[in-house]
């Protein structure tokens, strides 16, 4: 589970000031393929078309791909975010520490608020909202936590994490469908896809916080009413934090940040890896180190194709400095089986 965001609201202005001073005193700033916001301390971040939406100090900001804040939303409290593009503009699901899950509808190039509505309120913390549109029906997931949150002790008792699914025809009235999975393990960083009528739910499953974790997939062929047992795509040999798993021409590609080469360092030592699978999730290659620039001490939020390149949105030194970075890379080709 991503920790609270804090600080960093003045970082973009500070970055502009430093850049101006560099130009005045000679030697302009080095060109980079993206942006770096030092000490941003944001809690979550996702791509919003060709922009970025992020939560900082429980508030929501929208950035351009140069790292400039172009919009803030006064009065909206968010820690966890998810974006689904809609016919009339992007739709954002977000949740917060008031145990609320909201639907935020945006419109126009200025991302005006069309509607913001709390659609679910729970007695305990609900994290990691996920939103999917399948034809005329919307599906919403979030993960309820009862008991200990983020248990750090391998011998300690973990809380119960339950992934709950709802559906709606209008983004306003939501009907409970089912509990997809419930375990006394951390179930985090979920993502939902629909391909040819089959739902695929991808998520991280770990025994204790920052410990070894598996990346799993579950399938549903009846619009989420029933689900298969979890299938492990990556075994719990490292702290694997899932960012995305997308359908490709040959099957699936999974991106994670992982301390695979330095087990036990978690976010502070993690790098970005990818794994390729057949359509049936048989492994083609795993733990392929990405050529993403600045691939050190990474907490990866999302990977998306932007302007013909692969865009990476991530934090650096998440538990300390928590810089926010955006980088781009030409398309990566698959490799051999990892170690």
């Amino acid at each position: 589970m991503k920790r609270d965001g804090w600080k960093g609201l003045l970082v973009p202005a500070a970055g502009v000031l430093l850049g101006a001073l560099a130009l005045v005193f000679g030697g302009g700033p080095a060109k980079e393929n993206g942006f770096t916001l030092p000490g941003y301390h944001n809690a979550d971040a996702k791509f919003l078309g060709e922009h970025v939406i992020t939560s900082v100090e429980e508030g929501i900001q929208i950035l351009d791909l140069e790292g400039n804040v172009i919009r803030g939303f006064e009065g909206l409290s968010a820690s966890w975010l998810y974006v689904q593009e809609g016919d009339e503009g992007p739709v954002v699901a977000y949740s917060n520490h008031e145990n609320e899950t909201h639907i935020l509808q945006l419109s126009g190039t200025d991302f005006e608020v069309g509607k913001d509505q709390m659609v679910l309120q729970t007695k305990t913390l609900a994290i990691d909202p996920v939103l999917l549109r399948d034809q005329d029906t919307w599906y919403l997931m979030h993960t309820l936590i009862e008991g200990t949150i983020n248990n750090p002790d391998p011998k300690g008792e973990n809380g119960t994490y339950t992934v709950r699914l709802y559906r709606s025809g209008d983004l306003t009235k939501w009907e409970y469908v089912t509990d997809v999975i419930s375990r006394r393990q951390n179930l985090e960083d979920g993502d939902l896809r629909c391909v040819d009528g089959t739902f695929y739910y991808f998520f991280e499953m770990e025994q204790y916080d920052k410990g070894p974790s598996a990346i799993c997939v579950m399938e549903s062929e009846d619009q989420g009413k029933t689900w298969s047992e979890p299938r492990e795509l990556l075994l719990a040999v490292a702290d694997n934090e899932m960012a995305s798993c997308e359908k490709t021409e040959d099957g699936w590609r999974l991106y994670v940040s992982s301390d695979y080469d330095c087990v036990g360092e978690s976010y502070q030592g993690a790098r970005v890896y990818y794994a390729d699978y057949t359509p049936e999730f048989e492994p083609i290659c795993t733990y392929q180190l990405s050529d993403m620039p600045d691939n050190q001490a990474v907490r990866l939020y999302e990977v998306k194709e932007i302007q013909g390149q692969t865009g990476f949105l991530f934090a650096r030194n998440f538990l300390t400095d928590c810089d926010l970075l955006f980088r781009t890379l030409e398309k990566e080709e698959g490799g051999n089986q990892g170690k």
Side-chain angles (χ1 to χ4, degrees), residues 125-236:
L125 185 64
I127 67 171
D128 294 342
V130 177
L131 194 61
L132 171 72
R133 184 177 184 178
D134 180 33
Q135 299 183 30
D136 294 329
T137 303
W138 290 86
Y139 294 86
L140 174 66
M141 285 178 161
H142 62 188
T143 302
L144 298 172
I145 307 175
E146 296 180 283
T148 304
I149 299 170
N150 276 359
N151 163 51
D153 185 356
K155 297 181 180 179
E157 182 175 306
N158 209 51
T160 299
Y161 285 57
T162 301
V163 179
R164 191 156 288 175
L165 177 66
Y166 304 83
R167 65 185 171 204
S168 172
D170 59 7
L171 287 171
T172 300
K173 298 177 181 178
W174 291 88
E175 173 190 5
Y176 167 78
V177 178
T178 191
D179 288 353
V180 176
I181 181 173
S182 185
R183 297 284 178 90
R184 295 188 71 86
Q185 292 174 284
N186 292 5
L187 307 177
E188 301 173 341
D189 302 324
D191 208 355
L192 185 62
R193 295 286 180 266
C194 181
V195 178
D196 297 329
T198 299
F199 287 3
Y200 300 90
Y201 179 60
F202 302 93
F203 61 99
E204 175 193 5
M205 180 164 61
E206 64 183 352
Q207 193 65 40
Y208 59 93
D209 189 38
K210 301 179 187 64
S213 56
I215 302 298
C216 304
V217 62
M218 299 172 66
E219 301 178 25
S220 173
E221 296 182 353
D222 55 8
Q223 288 73 51
K225 298 182 185 68
T226 60
W227 293 83
S228 68
E229 288 297 309
R231 177 173 180 173
E232 294 186 343
L233 301 180
L234 291 179
L235 302 180

Side-chain angles (χ1 to χ4, degrees), residues 23-42:
L23 291 173
V24 170
F25 293 103
K31 183 179 179 181
E32 64 182 14
N33 61 339
F35 65 72
T36 301
L37 300 180
Y40 210 63
H41 290 284
N42 65 304

Side-chain angles (χ1 to χ4, degrees), residues 44-48 51-55 60-62 81 83 92:
D44 199 0
K46 296 290 188 293
F47 287 112
L48 183 72
H51 291 78
V52 170
I53 186 168
T54 183
S55 54
I60 298 176
Q61 298 177 0
I62 296 179
L81 301 162
V83 175
V92 180

Side-chain angles (χ1 to χ4, degrees), residues 76-333:
L76 303 189
S77 176
S79 288
W80 300 274
L81 301 162
Y82 193 91
V83 175
Q84 179 70 49
E85 300 295 336
D87 294 339
E88 300 178 357
V91 181
V92 180
Y94 69 90
S95 56
N96 56 38
H97 285 85
E98 284 73 53
N99 303 341
E100 300 171 345
T101 298
H102 285 240
I103 296 295
L104 172 64
Q105 297 172 257
L106 302 173
S107 62
T109 57
D110 293 332
F111 300 105
E112 295 291 333
V113 175
K115 188 176 184 180
D116 175 68
Q117 181 180 13
M118 183 184 71
V119 295
L120 300 169
Q121 186 165 31
T122 51
K123 294 181 180 179
T124 59
L125 185 64
I127 67 171
D128 294 342
V130 177
L131 194 61
L132 171 72
R133 184 177 184 178
D134 180 33
Q135 299 183 30
D136 294 329
T137 303
W138 290 86
Y139 294 86
L140 174 66
M141 285 178 161
H142 62 188
T143 302
L144 298 172
I145 307 175
E146 296 180 283
T148 304
I149 299 170
N150 276 359
N151 163 51
D153 185 356
K155 297 181 180 179
E157 182 175 306
N158 209 51
T160 299
Y161 285 57
T162 301
V163 179
R164 191 156 288 175
L165 177 66
Y166 304 83
R167 65 185 171 204
S168 172
D170 59 7
L171 287 171
T172 300
K173 298 177 181 178
W174 291 88
E175 173 190 5
Y176 167 78
V177 178
T178 191
D179 288 353
V180 176
I181 181 173
S182 185
R183 297 284 178 90
R184 295 188 71 86
Q185 292 174 284
N186 292 5
L187 307 177
E188 301 173 341
D189 302 324
D191 208 355
L192 185 62
R193 295 286 180 266
C194 181
V195 178
D196 297 329
T198 299
F199 287 3
Y200 300 90
Y201 179 60
F202 302 93
F203 61 99
E204 175 193 5
M205 180 164 61
E206 64 183 352
Q207 193 65 40
Y208 59 93
D209 189 38
K210 301 179 187 64
S213 56
I215 302 298
C216 304
V217 62
M218 299 172 66
E219 301 178 25
S220 173
E221 296 182 353
D222 55 8
Q223 288 73 51
K225 298 182 185 68
T226 60
W227 293 83
S228 68
E229 288 297 309
R231 177 173 180 173
E232 294 186 343
L233 301 180
L234 291 179
L235 302 180
V237 297
D239 184 8
N240 296 309
E241 303 286 331
M242 202 195 82
S244 67
C245 193
E246 301 288 350
K247 195 75 176 66
T248 66
E249 292 182 1
D250 301 319
W252 298 87
R253 170 159 289 190
L254 169 69
Y255 273 99
V256 298
S257 48
S258 173
D259 62 357
Y260 179 72
D261 286 327
C262 54
V263 173
E265 294 188 20
S266 191
Y267 308 138
Q268 300 302 96
R271 297 195 286 176
V272 173
Y273 299 84
Y274 65 88
D276 289 331
Y277 300 88
T278 68
E280 296 77 28
F281 294 107
E282 294 298 327
I284 299 172
C285 63
T286 59
Y287 289 112
Q288 299 297 300
L289 185 63
S290 172
D291 291 328
M292 180 194 81
D294 298 294
N295 194 1
Q296 295 288 339
V298 173
R299 172 64 174 94
L300 187 62
Y301 294 124
E302 192 172 14
V303 180
K304 180 181 177 181
E305 183 174 331
I306 297 178
Q307 299 176 359
Q309 294 187 312
T310 303
F312 298 84
L313 186 60
F314 59 100
R316 179 172 58 197
N317 294 321
F318 182 71
L319 299 178
T320 54
D321 302 330
C322 197
D323 308 329
L324 179 63
L325 290 86
F326 164 62
R327 293 290 184 267
T328 61
L329 177 70
E330 297 294 335
K331 183 178 179 180
E332 292 181 303
E333 300 298 330

